[in-house]
């Protein structure tokens, strides 16, 4: 179940890459930039600015998912059966809308056909680029291991973007077909990690250690989120941990942006960070200095103010 394919990506590993975003995640980070990737099933997006209020969508769904209130289209999302055995690839509401105001995000793909599509992009990969498997949490779908194997057998460089919150056996199966692991380490303190992501970080830290013991090529990524991950204490704690467990080839501190705000609106979700601004440059530079004192490969990236 894929969400999207992004081509010519420069932020998901070395060189020019094609990134495949898979649906389904076992974390629920408060700042998530891909909220439509969390559910393993398709999600309905509604574009308020495209809606002409015709009401056609209301009658299109036999499950009574859609109503309208005060000019807004409302979805009883739990009742939408798209992607289930009962309804399969139902997208009647999408097709009924005359103005493209409803989209279904998420599509089931055959591994072989997806692989064939990705192989066409090798023309622009060059010596460094390749395919990055991202999400959501890509490894939660066993078919992703099959895809990684097919890509590797075809001679492509494969990167895996993961948060590592699962039993290591899940990761072990795909590692032989992966050249680079992009590994998220967000918050070191366990209770804080749980409160912002919904999950404990014990497995995440253990799995990082195991990756380094295996000699995997790893880039660590830490999102810089105000009030959550952006304290000197947190960056220093992560730095001490990765210095001791095995320093990565690169540790990237990624500045926050709020470009995903519209996605929350399309999903009818409130977002705690909807009014948060970009990370201050001085702040991320200071955090990077702290990080670099412990792990020399630390860098920062992203737009700042
Ligand atoms: S995708 Fe199908 S089940 Fe879901 S809201 Fe649209 S018409 Fe109803
Ligand atoms: S069918 Fe489309 S344009 Fe008409 S009310 Fe529904 S979402 Fe809006």
């Amino acid at each position: 179940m894929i969400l999207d394919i992004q081509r010519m990506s420069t932020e998901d590993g070395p060189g020019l890459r094609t990134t495949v975003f898979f649906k389904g995640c076992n974390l629920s980070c408060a700042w998530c930039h891909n909220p439509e990737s969390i559910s393993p099933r398709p999600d309905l997006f509604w574009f308020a600015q495209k809606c002409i209020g015709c009401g056609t969508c209301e009658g299109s769904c036999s499950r009574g998912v859609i109503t309208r209130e005060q000019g807004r289209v409302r979805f009883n999302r739990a009742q939408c059966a798209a992607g289930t055995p009962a309804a399969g690839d139902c997208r009647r509401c999408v097709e009924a809308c005359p103005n493209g105001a409803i989209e279904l995000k998420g599509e089931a793909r055959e591994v072989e056909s997806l692989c064939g599509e990705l192989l066409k992009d090798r023309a622009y990969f060059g010596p460094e680029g390749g395919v990055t498997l991202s999400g959501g949490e890509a490894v939660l779908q066993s078919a992703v291991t099959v895809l990684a194997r097919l890509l590797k057998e075809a001679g492509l460089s494969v990167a895996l973007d993961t948060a590592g919150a699962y039993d290591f056996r899940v990761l072990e199966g795909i590692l032989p077909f992966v050249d680079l692991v992009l590994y998220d380490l967000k918050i070191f303190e366990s209770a804080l990690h749980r409160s912002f992501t919904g999950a404990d970080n014990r497995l995440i830290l253990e799995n990082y250690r195991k990756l380094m013991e295996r000699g995997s090529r790893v880039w660590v990524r830490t999102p810089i989120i105000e009030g959550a991950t952006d304290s000197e204490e947190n960056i220093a704690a992560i730095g001490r941990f990765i210095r001791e467990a095995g320093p990565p080839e690169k540790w990237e501190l990624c500045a926050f942006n709020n470009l995903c705000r519209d996605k929350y609106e399309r999903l009818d979700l409130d977002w705690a960070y909807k009014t948060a601004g970009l990370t201050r440059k001085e702040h991320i530079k200071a955090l990077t200095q702290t990080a670099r004192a412990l792990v020399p490969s630390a860098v920062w990236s992203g737009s700042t103010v």
Side-chain angles (χ1 to χ4, degrees):
M1 177 64 73
I2 71 164
L3 173 63
D4 202 3
I5 299 176
Q6 186 177 311
R7 298 197 157 80
M8 309 286 273
S9 164
T10 55
E11 293 170 1
D12 297 313
L16 272 181
R17 312 192 69 82
T18 295
T19 303
V20 189
F21 295 90
F22 291 87
K23 273 184 70 66
C25 189
N26 57 349
L27 298 184
S28 49
C29 302
W31 56 82
C32 181
H33 278 53
N34 289 320
E36 77 282 33
S37 73
I38 293 175
S39 165
R41 287 194 22 224
D43 274 307
L44 289 156
F45 261 12
W46 180 64
F47 296 82
Q49 66 280 24
K50 287 190 185 175
C51 178
I52 53 172
C54 66
T56 312
C57 53
E58 270 184 295
S60 68
C61 179
S62 57
R63 304 179 72 89
V65 171
I66 303 172
T67 53
R68 286 190 307 140
E69 282 167 34
Q70 297 168 348
R72 287 189 69 87
V73 172
R74 300 280 181 199
F75 300 95
N76 182 354
R77 294 169 189 275
Q79 290 301 317
C80 171
T84 67
D89 55 0
C90 176
R91 37 189 303 116
R92 281 195 298 275
C93 55
V94 177
E95 284 153 9
C97 175
N99 215 34
I102 303 176
E103 281 184 18
L104 202 55
K105 307 301 280 187
E107 182 190 8
R109 293 286 305 264
E110 293 284 342
V111 172
E112 288 76 11
S113 110
L114 178 58
C115 181
E117 186 178 333
L118 296 170
L119 291 179
K120 291 181 194 158
D121 295 346
R122 68 191 325 162
Y124 69 74
F125 290 157
E128 286 216 287
V131 174
T132 298
L133 309 171
S134 184
E137 182 59 87
V139 296
L140 298 182
Q141 297 190 43
S142 57
V144 175
T145 297
V146 180
L147 176 64
R149 178 174 59 76
L150 293 176
L151 293 169
K152 201 78 213 99
E153 285 171 359
L156 293 194
S157 158
V158 179
L160 173 70
D161 178 11
T162 181
Y166 42 73
D167 191 292
F168 192 71
R169 282 172 292 188
V170 174
L171 193 55
E172 258 179 332
I174 197 171
L175 285 179
F177 316 116
V178 167
D179 301 282
L180 171 70
V181 180
L182 306 171
Y183 201 80
D184 285 2
L185 289 174
K186 309 170 205 292
I187 298 175
F188 190 76
E189 208 272 306
S190 176
L192 206 58
H193 190 278
R194 182 181 286 281
S195 75
F196 277 104
T197 71
D200 189 78
N201 63 357
R202 183 181 58 83
L203 282 173
I204 297 171
L205 299 177
E206 268 178 33
N207 288 344
Y208 178 78
R209 199 179 283 283
K210 287 177 182 168
L211 273 176
M212 300 319 287
E213 283 168 5
R214 289 175 60 111
S216 299
R217 184 183 179 200
V218 177
W219 290 6
V220 169
R221 300 204 286 193
T222 301
I224 299 303
I225 312 295
E226 190 179 348
T229 70
D230 73 335
S231 68
E232 289 281 341
E233 295 74 30
N234 184 49
I235 298 302
I238 294 174
R240 282 191 295 272
F241 168 73
I242 58 180
R243 182 177 63 175
E244 184 265 319
E249 186 178 302
K250 178 166 145 183
W251 179 16
E252 189 174 4
L253 276 54
C254 308
F256 169 85
N257 69 64
N258 59 15
L259 294 174
C260 59
R261 190 169 42 200
D262 290 351
K263 294 181 178 180
Y264 282 87
E265 284 172 10
R266 289 167 198 159
L267 289 167
D268 221 359
L269 293 173
D270 197 17
W271 187 38
Y273 294 88
K274 64 185 171 198
T275 57
L278 296 178
T279 308
R280 284 183 302 106
K281 185 186 264 182
E282 289 312 310
H283 186 39
I284 199 166
K285 279 170 80 176
L287 292 173
T288 307
Q289 262 187 351
T290 300
R292 207 172 280 155
L294 293 156
V295 177
S297 65
V299 294
W300 66 272
S301 66
S303 301
T304 54
V305 285

